[in-house]
Amino acid sequence: MVTQLSEIDAYIDAAPQAARVVLRKIRAMARDLCPDAQEVISYKMPALRQDRVFFYYAAFTHHIGIYPPVKNGASLITRLEKYRGPKGNLQFSFSEDIPNDLPYDLIADVIKALYKEYARTA
């Protein structure tokens, strides 16, 4: 049986080249910010779980999607407005040449907010 971690590695390796850099950076940030959370594949996307899944990220042709939508924190919600997709999920665009231009500090704030909002801790 394939482990969750090797499935995540395979997911990242199969993504477009520019997305791989972004996915690896988001994965490292998520691990650092939520060290007690377990990395899993859920809905065919890399995700973090602490009793339940609270953070998903996925590669698309020209953007990275982050799910579920952030629902708490008025200031953060305002900062995320330009990144919201039609259902409220986040879409961070990147180009082949400039994957490092993404707002990684903002993405870190999203990870922390989703952890606080959705993760169940003992």
Side-chain angles (χ1 to χ4, degrees):
M1 177 175 202
V2 177
T3 66
Q4 292 285 326
L5 293 180
S6 64
E7 287 181 60
I8 294 168
D9 291 330
Y11 178 93
I12 292 172
D13 290 344
Q17 180 63 39
R20 289 182 213 156
V21 172
V22 176
L23 292 170
R24 287 185 183 111
K25 191 161 187 169
I26 291 172
R27 183 183 191 188
M29 285 189 324
R31 286 172 154 172
D32 289 344
L33 294 169
C34 308
D36 295 330
Q38 177 186 13
E39 291 185 270
V40 298
I41 291 288
S42 183
Y43 294 105
K44 299 182 182 181
M45 294 180 281
L48 290 180
R49 174 175 53 202
Q50 178 116 8
D51 291 332
R52 72 182 204 179
V53 176
F54 64 90
F55 175 71
Y56 301 83
Y57 56 106
F60 297 90
T61 305
H62 299 289
H63 76 275
I64 298 294
I66 293 180
Y67 313 90
V70 174
K71 296 180 183 173
N72 294 320
S75 174
L76 179 57
I77 289 170
T78 299
R79 291 170 47 214
L80 293 170
E81 192 58 41
K82 72 179 188 176
Y83 303 105
R84 290 206 181 272
K87 295 183 179 181
N89 297 318
L90 301 173
Q91 298 178 359
F92 293 95
S93 297
F94 63 88
S95 73
E96 290 283 328
D97 300 322
I98 315 171
N100 292 319
D101 277 354
L102 270 71
Y104 289 106
D105 289 344
L106 183 57
I107 294 170
D109 290 344
V110 168
I111 295 167
K112 291 184 277 188
L114 290 172
Y115 179 78
K116 183 177 179 184
E117 188 172 341
Y118 292 102
R120 295 182 184 151
T121 58

